[in-house]
């Protein structure tokens, strides 16, 4: 059957090259369709890392953005760090009365402006927005995805079926540990990060997590947050203290501080693997075989 044929392609170098070429063409189509490179060119050879879901604290676009900021500040310290360029694509809607969703969007837009000002770093990191996400747009976006990011806190609505849609479009998956990821035990090659369902649940029940203490104890959290708080408004047109105060007021209830370092390290693994076409495509095939569990 077709799955057996797919499994046999795991060691077919011609197939790997073909997948890479088709993905490149899909990226060019995405860039053209949404005209997202009219002001700043998007590199179609970069990793397309996408988060396509409603803007919500539980979906943790904020965590992704803080992670991107951390990478930006590391590159500011040493612009010679060799990493494959990555384009982070955000798309989704937010409830018009949802304060933190709006603040997260403002933060990401300001972060994009700050990155785009630096001629060295913008070659390595890009942020792009696709507005007003809908079903039609998702069908145009998903063929170009290299890595689909599902960062939802494991104890909250984590049944993200965009994971499956991305897999069948030959994408690798970065995901938190919950929902459909943990409920099926068949082997897959997902990149998982952060605290799992039981750990988050226990922290909440025991009230054992103190975000303020964690901020001072974690070098990477303090380094990133302090830089954002001290950034000049001319360079970074957003007051990050608004988000910082909310995170401490509600004890980082969505565990952005807690999972930051693991997300950074997992994205490093993704960057390394992306440069290995055999490993990258092997993972994609593994994930399709896993996702077949959901086909009738």
């Amino acid at each position: 059957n077709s799955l057996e044929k797919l499994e046999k392609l795991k060691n077919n170098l011609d197939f790997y090259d073909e997948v890479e070429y088709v993905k490149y063409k899909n990226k060019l189509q995405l860039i053209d369709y949404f005209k997202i490179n009219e002001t700043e060119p998007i590199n179609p050879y970069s990793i397309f890392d996408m988060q396509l879901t409603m803007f919500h604290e539980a979906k943790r676009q904020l965590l992704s953005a803080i992670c991107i900021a951390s990478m930006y500040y590391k590159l500011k310290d040493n612009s010679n760090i060799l990493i494959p360029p990555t384009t982070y694509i955000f798309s989704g809607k937010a409830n018009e009365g949802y304060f933190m969703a709006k603040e997260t969007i403002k933060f990401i837009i300001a972060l994009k402006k700050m990155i785009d000002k630096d001629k060295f770093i913008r070659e390595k990191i890009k942020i792009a927005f696709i507005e007003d996400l809908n079903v039609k747009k998702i069908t145009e976006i998903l063929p170009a995805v290299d890595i689909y990011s599902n960062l939802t806190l494991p104890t909250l609505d984590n049944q993200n079926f965009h994971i499956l849609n991305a897999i069948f479009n030959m994408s690798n998956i970065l995901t938190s540990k919950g929902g459909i990821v943990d409920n099926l035990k068949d082997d897959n090659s997902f990149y998982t990060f952060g605290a799992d369902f039981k750990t988050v649940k226990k922290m909440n029940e025991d009230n054992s997590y103190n975000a303020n203490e964690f901020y001072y104890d974690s070098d990477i959290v303090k380094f990133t947050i302090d830089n954002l708080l001290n950034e000049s408004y001319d360079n970074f047109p957003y007051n990050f203290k608004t988000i910082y105060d909310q995170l401490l007021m509600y004890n980082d209830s969505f565990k952005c501080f807690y999972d930051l370092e693991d997300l950074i390290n997992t994205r490093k693994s993704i960057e390394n693997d992306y440069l290995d076409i055999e490993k990258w495509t092997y993972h994609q095939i593994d994930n399709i075989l896993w996702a077949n569990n959901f086909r009738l």
Side-chain angles (χ1 to χ4, degrees):
N1 61 29
S2 58
L3 287 180
E4 288 174 352
K5 290 177 183 176
L6 184 62
E7 194 144 21
K8 287 177 182 176
L9 290 170
K10 278 186 174 179
N11 298 307
N12 186 320
L13 298 183
D14 289 338
F15 176 69
Y16 294 168
D17 289 339
E18 190 175 336
V19 169
E20 187 174 42
Y21 177 71
V22 169
K23 188 66 71 172
Y24 169 74
K25 296 288 283 184
N26 290 342
K27 290 177 183 179
L28 290 178
Q29 288 177 10
L30 171 71
I31 291 166
D32 181 62
Y33 182 87
F34 291 104
K35 297 179 170 43
I36 55 177
N37 66 340
E38 287 187 335
T39 53
E40 286 288 339
I42 301 295
N43 180 359
Y45 293 102
S46 64
I47 302 170
F48 276 31
D49 181 316
M50 302 189 187
Q51 196 172 1
L52 312 174
T53 185
M54 71 176 76
F55 275 85
H56 193 285
E57 288 167 280
K59 303 299 182 184
R60 298 201 292 184
Q61 287 93 348
L62 177 59
L63 171 60
S64 183
I66 294 173
C67 179
I68 296 167
S70 180
M71 293 155 58
Y72 167 83
Y73 287 117
K74 283 184 180 177
L75 287 166
K76 287 292 282 185
D77 283 350
N78 181 8
S79 61
N80 293 319
I81 296 173
L82 291 175
I83 59 169
T86 300
T87 301
Y88 295 93
I89 297 176
F90 293 90
S91 189
K93 296 183 179 180
N95 185 304
E96 63 179 277
Y98 192 176
F99 175 76
M100 275 299 283
K102 284 186 171 183
E103 293 303 312
T104 298
I105 293 169
K106 290 177 189 175
F107 167 44
I108 294 171
I109 291 171
L111 184 61
K112 170 180 167 50
K113 288 179 179 176
M114 182 167 70
I115 291 168
D116 285 347
K117 283 181 182 178
D118 191 302
K119 64 181 179 180
F120 295 108
I121 295 178
R122 72 186 182 207
E123 297 296 319
K124 299 178 180 180
I125 302 174
K126 294 290 292 184
I127 293 174
F129 265 99
I130 295 174
E131 296 180 359
D132 195 26
L133 187 66
N134 56 40
V135 173
K136 172 74 167 65
K137 287 184 178 180
I138 288 172
T139 62
E140 300 290 343
I141 295 169
L142 283 177
V145 63
D146 287 308
I147 186 89
Y148 182 82
S149 290
N150 170 48
L151 310 186
T152 307
L153 190 69
T155 50
L156 298 167
D157 177 27
N158 204 23
Q159 309 298 334
N160 190 330
F161 286 93
H162 283 330
I163 287 177
L164 301 178
N165 295 328
I167 287 171
F168 289 121
N169 279 281
M170 290 299 284
S171 166
N172 272 303
I173 302 297
L174 166 64
T175 182
S176 51
K177 300 164 185 171
I180 62 174
V181 176
D182 269 1
N183 290 337
L184 276 181
K185 299 304 178 187
D186 295 48
D187 289 341
N188 60 53
S189 293
F190 293 172
Y191 296 92
T192 59
F193 79 97
D196 61 15
F197 180 94
K198 289 180 181 177
T199 302
V200 176
K201 188 166 182 276
K202 190 171 191 315
M203 275 194 285
N204 291 341
E205 289 174 349
D206 298 348
N207 199 24
S208 57
Y209 176 59
N210 185 309
N212 190 55
E213 287 181 6
F214 194 89
Y215 161 74
Y216 283 104
D217 289 343
S218 169
D219 290 341
I220 192 65
V221 172
K222 194 168 189 309
F223 165 78
T224 307
I225 300 302
D226 286 356
N227 271 294
L228 288 168
L229 289 171
N230 294 325
E231 197 64 65
S232 73
Y233 193 85
D234 287 343
N235 194 43
F236 174 62
Y238 178 73
N239 182 3
F240 190 75
K241 192 173 186 300
T242 305
I243 286 176
Y244 173 73
D245 287 345
Q246 289 287 315
L247 287 171
L248 291 188
M249 184 187 303
Y250 295 103
N251 198 36
D252 184 22
S253 53
F254 296 91
K255 307 299 182 287
C256 290
F257 287 174
Y258 190 88
D259 281 345
L260 177 62
E261 186 168 3
D262 202 8
L263 179 57
I264 290 169
N265 291 334
T266 306
R267 280 184 165 164
K268 283 180 190 171
S269 297
I270 289 168
E271 290 164 2
N272 291 334
D273 289 354
Y274 182 76
L275 298 175
D276 183 343
I277 185 174
E278 292 184 43
K279 188 173 186 179
W280 190 256
T281 312
Y282 197 98
H283 284 178
Q284 290 170 327
I285 294 171
D286 266 353
N287 293 336
I288 289 175
L289 296 173
W290 174 87
N292 194 60
N293 286 287
F294 291 89
R295 287 196 163 175
L296 298 175

